[in-house]
Amino acid sequence: MKKIYDGIITALLVIMIMLIAVMFVPKIFKISPYVVVSESMEPTYSKGDLIYVKNDTSDIKNGDVITFYTDNDTIVTHRVTEINVSDHTYTTKGDANQTDDPRPVSMGNVIGRPVFSVPKLGILADALSGRRGKIMYAGIIIILLLLLFLGDMVFQKDKRLDGTEK
């Protein structure tokens, strides 16, 4: 019974650590995670997906998907439909949208290009990104660690100091 208990708790801890890794390890490679909050890029990216954007703005071509700041500091991910070299702007459009975005994107506002995505992981990432989510996440890890150590105490047989069982 103890082995099953330890296995479950260990598996839960590994999952929690993997979630942390999925969020923070890409930053080492200048890749930032962003949550897709609209359906404008379906079917390429769906609402709730977590996209990873490489901070690289070199060699952007027509048809590339880019992530950029709009005039009001909102972050958007859309596809380039036209490049205006003289104005240093891109015309963009969401894959699910019928028309181009109303304002061209300044080349200086481009964050980078998505390099991969994880479907629906953005829902969890969004929930955990605020202060309350971080506190909850830390609390879950602490509880799991306590359960792991308490399991040792509960399942341990009573022994005397000399090593013999009572």
Short mmCIF file of all heavy atoms in Angstrom, two decimals, residues 62-107:
data_model
loop_
_atom_site.label_atom_id
_atom_site.label_comp_id
_atom_site.label_asym_id
_atom_site.label_seq_id
_atom_site.Cartn_x
_atom_site.Cartn_y
_atom_site.Cartn_z
N ASN A 62 6.05 37.35 -45.97
CA ASN A 62 4.62 37.30 -46.19
C ASN A 62 4.12 35.90 -45.86
O ASN A 62 4.71 34.91 -46.30
CB ASN A 62 4.31 37.64 -47.65
CG ASN A 62 3.11 38.51 -47.80
OD1 ASN A 62 2.54 38.98 -46.83
ND2 ASN A 62 2.72 38.72 -49.04
N GLY A 63 3.08 35.78 -45.07
CA GLY A 63 2.54 34.48 -44.68
C GLY A 63 3.02 33.98 -43.33
O GLY A 63 2.46 33.05 -42.77
N ASP A 64 4.08 34.61 -42.77
CA ASP A 64 4.56 34.23 -41.44
C ASP A 64 3.57 34.69 -40.38
O ASP A 64 2.92 35.73 -40.52
CB ASP A 64 5.92 34.87 -41.14
CG ASP A 64 7.07 34.22 -41.88
OD1 ASP A 64 6.87 33.16 -42.51
OD2 ASP A 64 8.19 34.78 -41.83
N VAL A 65 3.50 33.94 -39.30
CA VAL A 65 2.71 34.36 -38.14
C VAL A 65 3.65 35.10 -37.20
O VAL A 65 4.76 34.63 -36.93
CB VAL A 65 2.08 33.13 -37.42
CG1 VAL A 65 1.34 33.57 -36.17
CG2 VAL A 65 1.14 32.39 -38.37
N ILE A 66 3.20 36.29 -36.75
CA ILE A 66 4.02 37.09 -35.85
C ILE A 66 3.21 37.47 -34.61
O ILE A 66 1.98 37.51 -34.64
CB ILE A 66 4.56 38.38 -36.53
CG1 ILE A 66 3.40 39.27 -37.01
CG2 ILE A 66 5.52 38.03 -37.65
CD1 ILE A 66 3.85 40.65 -37.51
N THR A 67 3.93 37.73 -33.53
CA THR A 67 3.32 38.21 -32.30
C THR A 67 3.84 39.62 -32.10
O THR A 67 5.03 39.88 -32.21
CB THR A 67 3.69 37.30 -31.12
OG1 THR A 67 3.18 36.00 -31.38
CG2 THR A 67 3.09 37.82 -29.82
N PHE A 68 2.91 40.55 -31.80
CA PHE A 68 3.28 41.96 -31.76
C PHE A 68 2.42 42.74 -30.76
O PHE A 68 1.36 42.27 -30.33
CB PHE A 68 3.13 42.59 -33.14
CG PHE A 68 1.76 42.42 -33.75
CD1 PHE A 68 0.76 43.37 -33.57
CD2 PHE A 68 1.47 41.30 -34.52
CE1 PHE A 68 -0.50 43.21 -34.12
CE2 PHE A 68 0.20 41.13 -35.08
CZ PHE A 68 -0.78 42.09 -34.88
N TYR A 69 2.93 43.93 -30.41
CA TYR A 69 2.17 44.86 -29.59
C TYR A 69 1.33 45.74 -30.51
O TYR A 69 1.83 46.21 -31.53
CB TYR A 69 3.10 45.77 -28.77
CG TYR A 69 3.82 45.08 -27.66
CD1 TYR A 69 5.15 44.71 -27.80
CD2 TYR A 69 3.18 44.82 -26.46
CE1 TYR A 69 5.83 44.08 -26.77
CE2 TYR A 69 3.85 44.19 -25.42
CZ TYR A 69 5.17 43.82 -25.59
OH TYR A 69 5.84 43.19 -24.57
N THR A 70 0.07 45.98 -30.13
CA THR A 70 -0.74 46.96 -30.84
C THR A 70 -0.46 48.32 -30.22
O THR A 70 0.31 48.43 -29.27
CB THR A 70 -2.24 46.62 -30.74
OG1 THR A 70 -2.63 46.67 -29.37
CG2 THR A 70 -2.54 45.24 -31.32
N ASP A 71 -1.12 49.35 -30.72
CA ASP A 71 -0.91 50.70 -30.21
C ASP A 71 -1.22 50.82 -28.72
O ASP A 71 -0.64 51.62 -28.02
CB ASP A 71 -1.76 51.71 -30.98
CG ASP A 71 -1.25 51.87 -32.41
OD1 ASP A 71 -0.08 51.54 -32.65
OD2 ASP A 71 -2.04 52.31 -33.25
N ASN A 72 -2.17 50.01 -28.23
CA ASN A 72 -2.54 50.13 -26.82
C ASN A 72 -1.90 49.04 -25.96
O ASN A 72 -2.42 48.66 -24.93
CB ASN A 72 -4.06 50.10 -26.66
CG ASN A 72 -4.68 48.84 -27.24
OD1 ASN A 72 -3.96 47.97 -27.75
ND2 ASN A 72 -5.98 48.72 -27.17
N ASP A 73 -0.74 48.54 -26.39
CA ASP A 73 0.05 47.55 -25.65
C ASP A 73 -0.62 46.20 -25.47
O ASP A 73 -0.22 45.42 -24.62
CB ASP A 73 0.47 48.10 -24.28
CG ASP A 73 1.52 49.20 -24.43
OD1 ASP A 73 2.27 49.16 -25.42
OD2 ASP A 73 1.58 50.07 -23.55
N THR A 74 -1.64 45.92 -26.27
CA THR A 74 -2.22 44.59 -26.30
C THR A 74 -1.32 43.72 -27.17
O THR A 74 -0.79 44.17 -28.18
CB THR A 74 -3.64 44.63 -26.90
OG1 THR A 74 -4.44 45.50 -26.10
CG2 THR A 74 -4.27 43.26 -26.95
N ILE A 75 -1.14 42.46 -26.77
CA ILE A 75 -0.31 41.55 -27.56
C ILE A 75 -1.23 40.71 -28.45
O ILE A 75 -2.22 40.13 -27.98
CB ILE A 75 0.55 40.66 -26.65
CG1 ILE A 75 1.53 41.54 -25.87
CG2 ILE A 75 1.29 39.60 -27.46
CD1 ILE A 75 2.34 40.80 -24.83
N VAL A 76 -0.89 40.65 -29.73
CA VAL A 76 -1.70 39.97 -30.73
C VAL A 76 -0.80 39.04 -31.54
O VAL A 76 0.36 39.37 -31.81
CB VAL A 76 -2.40 40.98 -31.67
CG1 VAL A 76 -3.16 40.29 -32.78
CG2 VAL A 76 -3.32 41.90 -30.88
N THR A 77 -1.34 37.91 -31.95
CA THR A 77 -0.64 37.01 -32.86
C THR A 77 -1.50 36.85 -34.11
O THR A 77 -2.62 36.33 -34.03
CB THR A 77 -0.40 35.64 -32.21
OG1 THR A 77 0.43 35.82 -31.06
CG2 THR A 77 0.29 34.67 -33.17
N HIS A 78 -1.00 37.35 -35.25
CA HIS A 78 -1.71 37.26 -36.53
C HIS A 78 -0.71 36.97 -37.64
O HIS A 78 0.50 37.06 -37.45
CB HIS A 78 -2.48 38.54 -36.83
CG HIS A 78 -3.81 38.63 -36.14
ND1 HIS A 78 -4.59 39.74 -36.18
CD2 HIS A 78 -4.50 37.72 -35.39
CE1 HIS A 78 -5.70 39.54 -35.49
NE2 HIS A 78 -5.66 38.32 -35.00
N ARG A 79 -1.25 36.68 -38.81
CA ARG A 79 -0.43 36.34 -39.97
C ARG A 79 -0.14 37.59 -40.81
O ARG A 79 -1.01 38.42 -41.01
CB ARG A 79 -1.16 35.29 -40.82
CG ARG A 79 -0.31 34.66 -41.90
CD ARG A 79 -1.04 33.51 -42.57
NE ARG A 79 -1.46 32.47 -41.64
CZ ARG A 79 -0.69 31.49 -41.17
NH1 ARG A 79 0.58 31.44 -41.53
NH2 ARG A 79 -1.18 30.58 -40.34
N VAL A 80 1.10 37.70 -41.32
CA VAL A 80 1.50 38.81 -42.18
C VAL A 80 0.88 38.59 -43.56
O VAL A 80 1.04 37.54 -44.16
CB VAL A 80 3.04 38.91 -42.29
CG1 VAL A 80 3.45 39.97 -43.31
CG2 VAL A 80 3.66 39.19 -40.94
N THR A 81 0.16 39.62 -44.05
CA THR A 81 -0.43 39.53 -45.40
C THR A 81 0.27 40.46 -46.38
O THR A 81 0.13 40.29 -47.59
CB THR A 81 -1.94 39.86 -45.36
OG1 THR A 81 -2.11 41.19 -44.85
CG2 THR A 81 -2.71 38.86 -44.52
N GLU A 82 1.00 41.45 -45.83
CA GLU A 82 1.71 42.38 -46.70
C GLU A 82 2.84 43.04 -45.91
O GLU A 82 2.69 43.31 -44.72
CB GLU A 82 0.74 43.45 -47.20
CG GLU A 82 1.32 44.41 -48.19
CD GLU A 82 0.29 45.46 -48.63
OE1 GLU A 82 -0.91 45.15 -48.68
OE2 GLU A 82 0.72 46.59 -48.89
N ILE A 83 3.94 43.29 -46.58
CA ILE A 83 5.08 43.97 -45.96
C ILE A 83 5.31 45.28 -46.69
O ILE A 83 5.47 45.30 -47.91
CB ILE A 83 6.36 43.10 -46.03
CG1 ILE A 83 6.13 41.77 -45.31
CG2 ILE A 83 7.55 43.85 -45.43
CD1 ILE A 83 7.25 40.76 -45.50
N ASN A 84 5.32 46.38 -45.95
CA ASN A 84 5.58 47.69 -46.52
C ASN A 84 6.96 48.14 -46.03
O ASN A 84 7.09 48.68 -44.92
CB ASN A 84 4.49 48.69 -46.12
CG ASN A 84 4.64 50.01 -46.85
OD1 ASN A 84 5.73 50.45 -47.17
ND2 ASN A 84 3.50 50.64 -47.12
N VAL A 85 7.96 47.90 -46.84
CA VAL A 85 9.34 48.18 -46.46
C VAL A 85 9.57 49.67 -46.25
O VAL A 85 10.25 50.08 -45.31
CB VAL A 85 10.32 47.61 -47.51
CG1 VAL A 85 11.77 47.92 -47.16
CG2 VAL A 85 10.13 46.11 -47.66
N SER A 86 8.99 50.51 -47.10
CA SER A 86 9.24 51.95 -46.99
C SER A 86 8.63 52.54 -45.72
O SER A 86 9.18 53.47 -45.14
CB SER A 86 8.70 52.69 -48.23
OG SER A 86 7.30 52.50 -48.34
N ASP A 87 7.48 52.02 -45.27
CA ASP A 87 6.85 52.50 -44.03
C ASP A 87 7.29 51.71 -42.80
O ASP A 87 6.90 52.04 -41.68
CB ASP A 87 5.32 52.40 -44.13
CG ASP A 87 4.74 53.43 -45.06
OD1 ASP A 87 5.44 54.41 -45.40
OD2 ASP A 87 3.57 53.26 -45.45
N HIS A 88 8.06 50.63 -43.00
CA HIS A 88 8.50 49.75 -41.92
C HIS A 88 7.30 49.18 -41.15
O HIS A 88 7.26 49.19 -39.92
CB HIS A 88 9.45 50.46 -40.95
CG HIS A 88 10.68 50.99 -41.61
ND1 HIS A 88 11.70 50.18 -42.03
CD2 HIS A 88 11.04 52.25 -41.95
CE1 HIS A 88 12.64 50.90 -42.59
NE2 HIS A 88 12.27 52.16 -42.57
N THR A 89 6.31 48.67 -41.92
CA THR A 89 5.11 48.11 -41.30
C THR A 89 4.72 46.79 -41.95
O THR A 89 5.14 46.48 -43.06
CB THR A 89 3.90 49.07 -41.41
OG1 THR A 89 3.60 49.29 -42.79
CG2 THR A 89 4.14 50.38 -40.69
N TYR A 90 3.93 46.03 -41.19
CA TYR A 90 3.33 44.80 -41.69
C TYR A 90 1.81 44.97 -41.66
O TYR A 90 1.27 45.53 -40.71
CB TYR A 90 3.68 43.61 -40.79
CG TYR A 90 5.15 43.30 -40.69
CD1 TYR A 90 5.84 43.60 -39.53
CD2 TYR A 90 5.82 42.69 -41.74
CE1 TYR A 90 7.19 43.31 -39.41
CE2 TYR A 90 7.17 42.40 -41.63
CZ TYR A 90 7.85 42.70 -40.47
OH TYR A 90 9.19 42.42 -40.36
N THR A 91 1.15 44.45 -42.67
CA THR A 91 -0.30 44.32 -42.62
C THR A 91 -0.56 42.90 -42.15
O THR A 91 0.08 41.95 -42.62
CB THR A 91 -0.93 44.55 -44.01
OG1 THR A 91 -0.57 45.87 -44.45
CG2 THR A 91 -2.44 44.43 -43.96
N THR A 92 -1.46 42.74 -41.20
CA THR A 92 -1.71 41.43 -40.61
C THR A 92 -3.19 41.09 -40.65
O THR A 92 -4.04 41.97 -40.84
CB THR A 92 -1.21 41.38 -39.15
OG1 THR A 92 -1.86 42.42 -38.40
CG2 THR A 92 0.29 41.55 -39.06
N LYS A 93 -3.47 39.81 -40.42
CA LYS A 93 -4.85 39.33 -40.42
C LYS A 93 -4.90 38.03 -39.64
O LYS A 93 -4.03 37.18 -39.77
CB LYS A 93 -5.31 39.11 -41.86
CG LYS A 93 -6.68 38.51 -42.05
CD LYS A 93 -6.94 38.37 -43.54
CE LYS A 93 -7.78 37.25 -43.98
NZ LYS A 93 -7.81 36.03 -43.29
N GLY A 94 -5.93 37.88 -38.82
CA GLY A 94 -6.15 36.60 -38.16
C GLY A 94 -6.66 35.60 -39.17
O GLY A 94 -7.42 35.96 -40.08
N ASP A 95 -6.24 34.35 -39.05
CA ASP A 95 -6.66 33.32 -40.02
C ASP A 95 -8.17 33.18 -40.11
O ASP A 95 -8.70 32.88 -41.17
CB ASP A 95 -6.03 31.97 -39.66
CG ASP A 95 -4.53 31.93 -39.90
OD1 ASP A 95 -3.98 32.91 -40.44
OD2 ASP A 95 -3.92 30.91 -39.54
N ALA A 96 -8.87 33.38 -39.01
CA ALA A 96 -10.33 33.22 -39.00
C ALA A 96 -11.06 34.51 -39.40
O ALA A 96 -12.27 34.51 -39.55
CB ALA A 96 -10.80 32.77 -37.62
N ASN A 97 -10.32 35.60 -39.56
CA ASN A 97 -10.94 36.88 -39.90
C ASN A 97 -11.11 37.02 -41.42
O ASN A 97 -10.29 36.50 -42.18
CB ASN A 97 -10.12 38.05 -39.36
CG ASN A 97 -10.04 38.04 -37.85
OD1 ASN A 97 -10.82 37.39 -37.18
ND2 ASN A 97 -9.07 38.76 -37.31
N GLN A 98 -12.11 37.77 -41.82
CA GLN A 98 -12.38 37.98 -43.25
C GLN A 98 -11.54 39.10 -43.84
O GLN A 98 -11.26 39.10 -45.04
CB GLN A 98 -13.87 38.29 -43.46
CG GLN A 98 -14.80 37.17 -43.03
CD GLN A 98 -14.54 35.89 -43.81
OE1 GLN A 98 -14.36 35.92 -45.03
NE2 GLN A 98 -14.51 34.76 -43.12
N THR A 99 -11.15 40.08 -43.02
CA THR A 99 -10.42 41.23 -43.52
C THR A 99 -9.12 41.44 -42.73
O THR A 99 -8.96 40.93 -41.63
CB THR A 99 -11.28 42.52 -43.40
OG1 THR A 99 -11.61 42.73 -42.02
CG2 THR A 99 -12.56 42.41 -44.23
N ASP A 100 -8.24 42.22 -43.35
CA ASP A 100 -6.98 42.57 -42.68
C ASP A 100 -7.27 43.39 -41.43
O ASP A 100 -8.32 44.04 -41.32
CB ASP A 100 -6.09 43.40 -43.62
CG ASP A 100 -5.49 42.57 -44.74
OD1 ASP A 100 -5.44 41.33 -44.61
OD2 ASP A 100 -5.07 43.17 -45.75
N ASP A 101 -6.31 43.39 -40.51
CA ASP A 101 -6.42 44.23 -39.31
C ASP A 101 -6.47 45.69 -39.74
O ASP A 101 -5.85 46.07 -40.74
CB ASP A 101 -5.23 43.99 -38.38
CG ASP A 101 -5.22 42.56 -37.83
OD1 ASP A 101 -6.29 41.92 -37.77
OD2 ASP A 101 -4.12 42.09 -37.45
N PRO A 102 -7.19 46.55 -38.98
CA PRO A 102 -7.39 47.93 -39.41
C PRO A 102 -6.12 48.79 -39.43
O PRO A 102 -6.01 49.71 -40.22
CB PRO A 102 -8.39 48.50 -38.40
CG PRO A 102 -8.39 47.57 -37.26
CD PRO A 102 -7.92 46.24 -37.76
N ARG A 103 -5.14 48.46 -38.58
CA ARG A 103 -3.92 49.27 -38.52
C ARG A 103 -2.70 48.41 -38.85
O ARG A 103 -2.56 47.31 -38.33
CB ARG A 103 -3.74 49.86 -37.13
CG ARG A 103 -4.73 50.93 -36.81
CD ARG A 103 -4.35 51.64 -35.51
NE ARG A 103 -5.51 52.36 -35.02
CZ ARG A 103 -6.25 51.99 -34.00
NH1 ARG A 103 -5.95 50.91 -33.32
NH2 ARG A 103 -7.30 52.70 -33.64
N PRO A 104 -1.79 48.95 -39.65
CA PRO A 104 -0.54 48.23 -39.89
C PRO A 104 0.28 48.14 -38.61
O PRO A 104 0.16 48.98 -37.72
CB PRO A 104 0.19 49.08 -40.93
CG PRO A 104 -0.78 50.09 -41.41
CD PRO A 104 -1.87 50.20 -40.40
N VAL A 105 1.12 47.13 -38.53
CA VAL A 105 1.97 46.91 -37.36
C VAL A 105 3.36 47.46 -37.66
O VAL A 105 3.99 47.07 -38.64
CB VAL A 105 2.07 45.40 -37.04
CG1 VAL A 105 3.01 45.15 -35.88
CG2 VAL A 105 0.70 44.82 -36.79
N SER A 106 3.84 48.33 -36.78
CA SER A 106 5.20 48.84 -36.93
C SER A 106 6.18 47.68 -36.72
O SER A 106 6.00 46.86 -35.81
CB SER A 106 5.45 49.94 -35.89
OG SER A 106 6.83 50.24 -35.84
N MET A 107 7.20 47.62 -37.53
CA MET A 107 8.19 46.56 -37.40
C MET A 107 8.83 46.57 -36.00
O MET A 107 9.22 45.53 -35.49
CB MET A 107 9.25 46.67 -38.49
CG MET A 107 8.72 46.34 -39.86
SD MET A 107 10.00 46.47 -41.13
CE MET A 107 9.07 46.01 -42.58
#
